[in-house]
Amino acid sequence: MIRNKWLWAALFAVPAVELFGFIYVASYLGAPKTLLIMLATSVIGLLMMRFEGKKVLQDSRTHMQEGRVPGRTMLDGLCIFFGGLLLILPGFVTDLIGFTLVFPLTRPLYRVFLLKWIEKKMKNGTFTFYRR
């Protein structure tokens, strides 16, 4: 039930923040330039996502061929995936978070929180994984 409350709050808060950001930037640059910037950040972000995604996929293949578990690269792949989803959404705040998820230098910050979340879920028994 708590998770649903957070989802509903995000459903209303994120568009409100994005609209405020759009209006704020448009008041300084004008609406056409603001739209162009939003479009450009989405395209650049998607190109970065493709490039970084290919690198992570290649790294995970290398790890598996060496007989190692690609744990860190799997988390990087999740960060890139969610960053790409955020980059597709129009807005400055989601683009900023999306870029930090896709960019390799800032991705470890999210990886730490993701690892703690997975560890907590595994200890609670609410997170299961399957082996082949």
Side-chain angles (χ1 to χ4, degrees), residues 6-57:
W6 283 106
L7 186 63
W8 281 107
L11 190 65
F12 290 109
V14 171
V17 169
E18 294 295 357
L19 183 63
F20 175 76
F22 181 82
I23 292 170
Y24 183 76
V25 173
S27 69
Y28 287 103
L29 300 177
K33 288 180 185 175
T34 304
L35 285 172
L36 185 64
I37 289 171
M38 286 177 66
L39 182 65
T41 57
S42 293
V43 169
I44 291 168
L46 288 172
L47 291 174
M48 270 182 68
M49 183 185 73
R50 273 186 78 183
F51 178 74
E52 290 297 322
K54 286 180 182 178
K55 270 184 16 182
V56 166
L57 188 61

Side-chain angles (χ1 to χ4, degrees), residues 5 43 50 57 64 75 78 99 102 105 108 116 126 128:
K5 289 180 183 178
V43 169
R50 273 186 78 183
L57 188 61
M64 286 189 283
L75 291 175
L78 281 173
F99 273 121
V102 171
L105 295 176
K116 286 181 182 179
T126 57
T128 56

Side-chain angles (χ1 to χ4, degrees), residues 1-125:
M1 188 68 175
I2 293 173
R3 184 174 27 177
N4 290 337
K5 289 180 183 178
W6 283 106
L7 186 63
W8 281 107
L11 190 65
F12 290 109
V14 171
V17 169
E18 294 295 357
L19 183 63
F20 175 76
F22 181 82
I23 292 170
Y24 183 76
V25 173
S27 69
Y28 287 103
L29 300 177
K33 288 180 185 175
T34 304
L35 285 172
L36 185 64
I37 289 171
M38 286 177 66
L39 182 65
T41 57
S42 293
V43 169
I44 291 168
L46 288 172
L47 291 174
M48 270 182 68
M49 183 185 73
R50 273 186 78 183
F51 178 74
E52 290 297 322
K54 286 180 182 178
K55 270 184 16 182
V56 166
L57 188 61
Q58 185 179 15
D59 287 347
S60 65
R61 283 184 186 150
T62 304
H63 284 189
M64 286 189 283
Q65 287 173 351
E66 294 172 355
R68 294 186 291 158
V69 176
R72 185 186 67 82
T73 53
M74 297 289 281
L75 291 175
D76 283 346
L78 281 173
C79 288
I80 291 169
F81 175 74
F82 286 116
L85 287 177
L86 289 174
L87 287 168
I88 291 171
L89 296 174
F92 294 109
V93 176
T94 54
D95 281 350
L96 179 67
I97 296 169
F99 273 121
T100 59
L101 279 165
V102 171
F103 195 62
L105 295 176
T106 54
R107 199 178 311 139
L109 299 172
Y110 293 101
R111 196 170 41 225
V112 168
F113 291 111
L114 191 57
L115 276 172
K116 286 181 182 179
W117 178 77
I118 290 172
E119 187 176 313
K120 179 182 168 186
K121 291 291 185 180
M122 288 176 76
K123 283 182 182 178
N124 290 345

